[in-house]
Amino acid sequence: MNTFAETLIGWQRAYGRHGLPWQVRDAYRVWLSEIMLQQTQVETVIPYYQRFIARFPDLAGLAAAPLEDVLTLWSGLGYYARARNLHKCARVVMERHGGAFPADPALLAELPGIGRSTAAAISAFSFGTRAAILDGNVKRVLARCFGIDGFPGNKAVETALWTLAESLLPATDVDIYTQAQMDLGATVCTRGRPACGRCPLAARCVALREGRVGELPTPRPKKAVRERDGRFAVILAGGAVLLERRPPSGIWGGLLSLPELPEDADTATWVTTRFGLTVHKVERLAVLRHVFTHFTLNLHPETVLVGHPSMCGEATTLWQPLDQLEEAALPAPVRKLLEQLTPPDLLAAPR
């Protein structure tokens, strides 16, 4: 029987994913794709990746760009800390490494937004380095194939998985092997409804033999999902909405969003006091739920019609035309909310 690695390499050549836009020996493009693919599927990433490459064809251009431009292109992809780290990493590579990514996974792992597994993937794909990856797909494949119990996020279990992953590395074709693990986990050994009949590892899979495919990997211990509520002012005038840039860290860090109302504030009074605007009408909209990784946010939006889009005297605010929302770095739920505003005469300035 072929070794674990030989089996996967042969399978990838015949059935794996080929022709993806980032499958080139170019560290910049590989790095960009790996950051985008963290917690996001290939089909979702491809159009974002293509827009990024069109706008920033090289590392120098990305490093020189304002963060706002990067966030605008990232808008809708989620997990915005990735975009902030992407921009920061580009600048660090320009400053510390002369604009060229190092081949050493240990050096790559020191860069913003790049952990041990991502560093290994970048190095393997770009330089052919013999380094093990351990992303979510690989953890699932290894846990099932070798019958490893325990939540993979547990330190002891993760350490055991790293040891196993390193022991399975082939002497050559590490880039093909690395892609094979990703492809198998994403297309065959999936979290739900795995296609065990098409799996090249079926003959050696402990989970399949013992009827435990649905049990492995061991799920994360359940915690109560926290819920948070937030009031947001949709301040409208003359076909434009007032947006405010969020703080650099925290929810939607660095993005443009709707001003957040204090919990017990009177909306009209707060808008008048905060922005010096004359309020004509306030109306509550339907609650919008948005699920983050660790909690659910209930957005309570209120439309606030004001006299005209006057300057508010704050550098963090701006009036954004509602027909130009694609040019703004907005969180996905805020963009969805603004795009759904109806009827059209709601957007007109009061007479």
Side-chain angles (χ1 to χ4, degrees), residues 34-237:
E34 287 299 319
I35 300 303
M36 288 186 166
L37 287 165
Q38 291 172 352
Q39 299 176 294
T40 309
Q41 295 183 342
V42 165
E43 294 75 14
T44 301
V45 164
I46 288 176
Y48 282 91
Y49 172 86
Q50 291 172 331
R51 285 195 291 270
F52 256 83
I53 290 298
R55 174 67 177 82
F56 305 118
D58 54 42
L59 185 73
L62 176 57
L67 175 59
E68 291 74 16
D69 290 359
V70 177
L71 290 171
T72 298
L73 279 176
W74 197 276
S75 181
L77 196 54
Y79 301 99
Y80 292 96
R82 293 182 299 172
R84 296 191 295 273
N85 281 328
L86 188 85
H87 187 247
K88 184 177 180 182
C89 182
R91 294 189 167 184
V92 171
V93 172
M94 291 299 297
E95 294 169 2
R96 298 183 188 173
H97 299 284
F101 282 92
D104 186 347
L107 293 177
L108 285 169
E110 294 175 356
L111 296 171
I114 300 181
R116 180 179 175 182
S117 183
T118 300
I122 295 170
S123 190
F125 288 136
S126 304
F127 308 105
T129 305
R130 190 172 180 270
I133 66 167
L134 193 66
D135 64 6
N137 283 324
V138 177
K139 289 177 179 178
R140 184 166 58 255
V141 169
L142 295 182
R144 285 174 175 167
C145 188
F146 293 91
I148 298 174
D149 289 294
F151 172 54
N154 177 278
K155 183 63 177 176
V157 177
E158 185 176 45
T159 298
L161 287 169
W162 271 116
T163 301
L164 175 60
E166 290 175 337
S167 73
L168 295 170
L169 279 172
T172 60
D173 295 326
V174 176
D175 55 339
I176 301 174
Y177 172 69
T178 300
Q179 187 67 56
Q181 294 176 93
M182 294 177 172
D183 290 353
L184 188 72
T187 65
V188 176
C189 191
T190 54
R191 183 180 290 107
R193 307 177 78 175
C196 297
R198 294 192 289 111
C199 182
L201 301 175
R204 68 178 84 210
C205 181
V206 173
L208 181 61
R209 184 170 65 247
E210 297 180 355
R212 303 177 61 208
V213 174
E215 300 174 17
L216 297 174
T218 304
R220 178 192 299 272
K222 287 188 176 181
K223 293 183 180 179
V225 178
R226 294 185 298 122
E227 295 216 6
R228 291 174 54 181
D229 292 272
R231 296 176 63 202
F232 294 86
V234 188
I235 305 172
L236 302 166

Side-chain angles (χ1 to χ4, degrees), residues 26 33 81 100 193 308:
D26 182 320
S33 69
R193 307 177 78 175
H308 54 85

